[in-house]
Amino acid sequence: MFVEPRTEKGWVEVICGSMFSGKTEELIRRINRAKIANQKVRVFKPAIDIRYDQVDVVSHKESRIESIPVSSSKEILNHVGTAEVVGIDEAQFFDYELPEVCNKLAEKKVRVIIAGLDMDFKGLPFGPMPTLLAISEYVTKVHAICMNCGGIAGYTFKKVLNDQTVELGEKELYEARCRSCFNEGMALLKDQMRLNL
Ligand code: ZN
C-alpha cells in the first residue's frame, strides 16, 4: 500500500500494470485522500479514452472522479491552474512529451500521480510509460488475476486477431494473463494467423 511522503516538494509517482489490475481504482484512492487533506486536485485523461464517460475518470469498479480530457500532454500545463496534486489516467495513450510535462509540474512542487498500462497487447513497453517509470520517484506495479489459470497477471492478452495497438474495448477483447498463459495464447494466435494466410 502506497503511503504519501510528508514533504512540500513535488514528485512523480506511477501506478502501472495490465488491464483489470486496478490501476484507475488506485489512482482514484490516492486522489480522494489528497482531497481529504484539502489539497487542490486536477485529473486529466487522453481525449481518446471515451470508454465509459466523456469527462470523468471511471474505473472498472465504477468509482469515478471528475477529469479533464486533453488531446496532447502540453495541454495539461494550460489547465493545471493552482493544483497541488495532478492525476493522469491512461498515460500510455499520451504523446512522448508527457515525461517532460510531468517533470515541469514536479519542479513546480506539484505531486504528479500517473496511471497507465506498462505493456501493450504484444507484451511491449507502451508509449511514454517506460520513460515515466524511469523519471518517477515512486512506482507501484499492481497485478491482475490471470483469467486463464488464476495466477498473478502482468500481461494484457488480446483475444482477437488484428494489429491495432490502440483499440478500446473491454472483456470481449482483452484478458489479464500471467507470463506463461500470455505466451501460450500468443503462440496459438500466431498459428491461427498462419492458417488464415
Ligand atoms: Zn496464467
Side-chain angles (χ1 to χ4, degrees):
M1 176 85 69
F2 183 81
V3 177
E4 298 81 356
R6 288 181 73 98
T7 163
E8 302 295 304
K9 293 175 187 167
W11 69 87
V12 181
E13 54 197 73
V14 174
I15 306 157
C16 67
S18 67
M19 282 181 79
F20 314 110
S21 62
K23 297 179 299 297
T24 301
E25 203 64 27
E26 176 61 14
L27 172 67
I28 292 172
R29 187 186 74 86
R30 293 184 193 184
I31 292 294
N32 281 335
R33 284 165 66 84
K35 282 185 180 169
I36 292 167
N38 286 320
Q39 292 170 329
K40 281 185 214 152
V41 164
R42 282 269 152 93
V43 179
F44 297 92
K45 67 174 187 179
I48 173 184
D49 185 37
I50 49 159
R51 254 187 314 190
Y52 299 101
D53 201 289
Q54 289 283 3
V55 181
D56 295 355
V57 165
V58 184
S59 79
H60 294 277
K61 279 190 183 166
E62 289 255 335
S63 21
R64 63 175 59 224
I65 211 143
E66 196 187 322
S67 77
I68 304 166
V70 286
S71 43
S72 77
S73 47
K74 284 219 163 127
E75 230 184 279
I76 293 173
L77 297 173
N78 302 336
H79 296 286
V80 80
T82 53
E84 297 153 273
V85 179
V86 167
I88 300 168
D89 198 25
E90 302 285 2
Q92 77 278 356
F93 290 140
F94 275 92
D95 51 81
Y96 287 88
E97 281 176 271
L98 186 58
E100 197 192 317
V101 167
C102 293
N103 277 336
K104 270 191 192 151
L105 291 171
E107 278 151 29
K108 286 186 195 157
K109 299 188 162 69
V110 172
R111 173 188 176 196
V112 185
I113 315 172
I114 295 159
L117 285 168
D118 43 15
M119 288 185 280
D120 64 16
F121 72 93
K122 291 174 180 164
L124 299 172
F126 208 148
M129 287 301 287
T131 313
L132 291 166
L133 287 161
I135 63 147
S136 59
E137 275 90 344
Y138 306 101
V139 174
T140 305
K141 186 147 180 163
V142 284
H143 298 92
I145 297 299
C146 176
M147 292 168 184
N148 198 45
C149 77
I152 293 296
Y155 289 83
T156 304
F157 178 66
K158 191 173 174 192
K159 298 187 271 184
V160 183
L161 293 172
N162 71 36
D163 203 43
Q164 264 179 278
T165 310
V166 178
E167 187 168 34
L168 300 167
E170 280 302 299
K171 291 197 164 156
E172 71 279 7
L173 258 185
Y174 298 101
E175 231 172 52
R177 287 206 175 187
C178 70
R179 184 185 290 271
S180 84
C181 293
F182 174 80
N183 286 334
E184 228 170 73
M186 288 299 270
L188 268 173
L189 281 184
K190 274 177 196 157
D191 278 350
Q192 281 176 29
M193 259 199 242
R194 240 174 268 135
L195 288 175
N196 288 344
L197 283 176

